[in-house]
Amino acid sequence: MRAPRHPASSLAAVARRSPADRVIVFGVSFAVAALVALIVTQCLDFAVYDLRIRALDSDTHRSVFGVISLLAQAGTVLVIGARCLSPSRRAGWLVLGALIAVLLLVRALLSDQPLAYALPVTAAFVLFWWLTAADYPAARTVLRVGLFVLAFSFVVHIVGPKIIDHLGYGYGTWPYEIKGMTKHSAELAGWVLVDTGVLAGWVASRRPA
């Protein structure tokens, strides 16, 4: 039986990877850690403190993970800006960056009405897919996983409340909290994965293998 790998050797293996692969390793690791941390702290706040610790309640953008999620989406605008430095499909990246910036403002400032921006969300999904079609395969895969995770979160935003209401559960119940944790954790992880994929694709294009 193979002996367990020492943490130092794992770090050394990461260091030997290409810059794009290192971006992917750290980005995916952060996405998973953030998703787990959000779920654990939300469960703790609900089960132990009856949602009295507002900083841990992901249902509000003023919570710790609400802010991190907004910053992750803002990070998407920044990494798209980096892609605009390349002449390849620059116009498309500029349009996508402007679209994500508008969606960020809508998400941060307006009420939670996902159907109101279903069309721009769909346009952003298509642009991401098209603009990264020739990217480094691993980066492209991470990006597309992130897009599907965001799409899942978007669907839960729309149908989740209807299902919970139909089943007769309301605020302060476990089904309501599970619905909230599902959509918010997927949203956070999705944006981090999208950031990771876009950034890794840019790094790989600047330093080809």
Side-chain angles (χ1 to χ4, degrees):
M1 185 173 63
R2 182 179 297 179
R5 182 176 296 179
H6 192 274
S9 64
S10 299
L11 291 175
V14 172
R16 288 194 297 269
R17 296 174 183 266
S18 70
D21 286 331
R22 289 199 293 270
V23 170
I24 291 171
V25 169
F26 290 117
V28 172
S29 299
F30 180 77
V32 173
L35 182 148
V36 172
L38 186 154
I39 292 174
V40 170
T41 55
Q42 183 76 21
C43 287
L44 179 67
D45 187 32
F46 176 67
V48 179
Y49 297 104
D50 197 26
L51 298 177
R52 291 192 299 271
I53 305 178
R54 302 298 292 171
L56 300 181
D57 186 359
S58 59
D59 272 339
T60 171
H61 290 317
R62 295 181 181 180
S63 66
V64 172
F65 290 102
V67 171
I68 293 175
S69 184
L70 290 173
L71 290 176
Q73 188 174 351
T76 306
V77 179
L78 294 178
V79 295
I80 288 174
R83 299 297 295 256
C84 292
L85 298 176
S86 171
S88 177
R89 297 180 173 178
R90 179 178 292 167
W93 285 112
L94 286 170
V95 171
L96 180 58
L99 189 57
I100 298 300
V102 170
L103 288 172
L104 175 60
L105 288 175
V106 170
R107 180 184 169 201
L109 301 177
L110 301 182
S111 59
D112 190 13
Q113 298 291 334
L115 283 176
Y117 43 91
L119 185 59
V121 165
T122 302
F125 187 100
V126 172
L127 280 171
F128 272 121
W129 199 279
W130 172 64
L131 290 169
T132 59
D135 274 10
Y136 175 48
R140 187 174 64 236
T141 298
V142 171
L143 168 73
R144 291 180 176 181
V145 170
L147 290 176
F148 283 117
V149 172
L150 284 175
F152 170 74
S153 173
F154 191 75
V155 171
V156 175
H157 269 76
I158 295 173
V159 304
K162 297 178 181 179
I163 294 175
I164 295 301
D165 289 343
H166 179 73
L167 294 175
Y169 295 103
Y171 182 80
T173 63
W174 271 111
Y176 183 93
E177 289 303 313
I178 291 172
K179 178 265 297 179
M181 286 185 286
T182 300
K183 68 179 182 180
H184 293 305
S185 61
E187 189 171 48
L188 171 56
W191 282 118
V192 173
L193 290 174
V194 167
D195 292 351
T196 301
V198 175
L199 181 59
W202 177 69
V203 171
S205 69
R206 289 170 59 85
R207 299 186 63 177

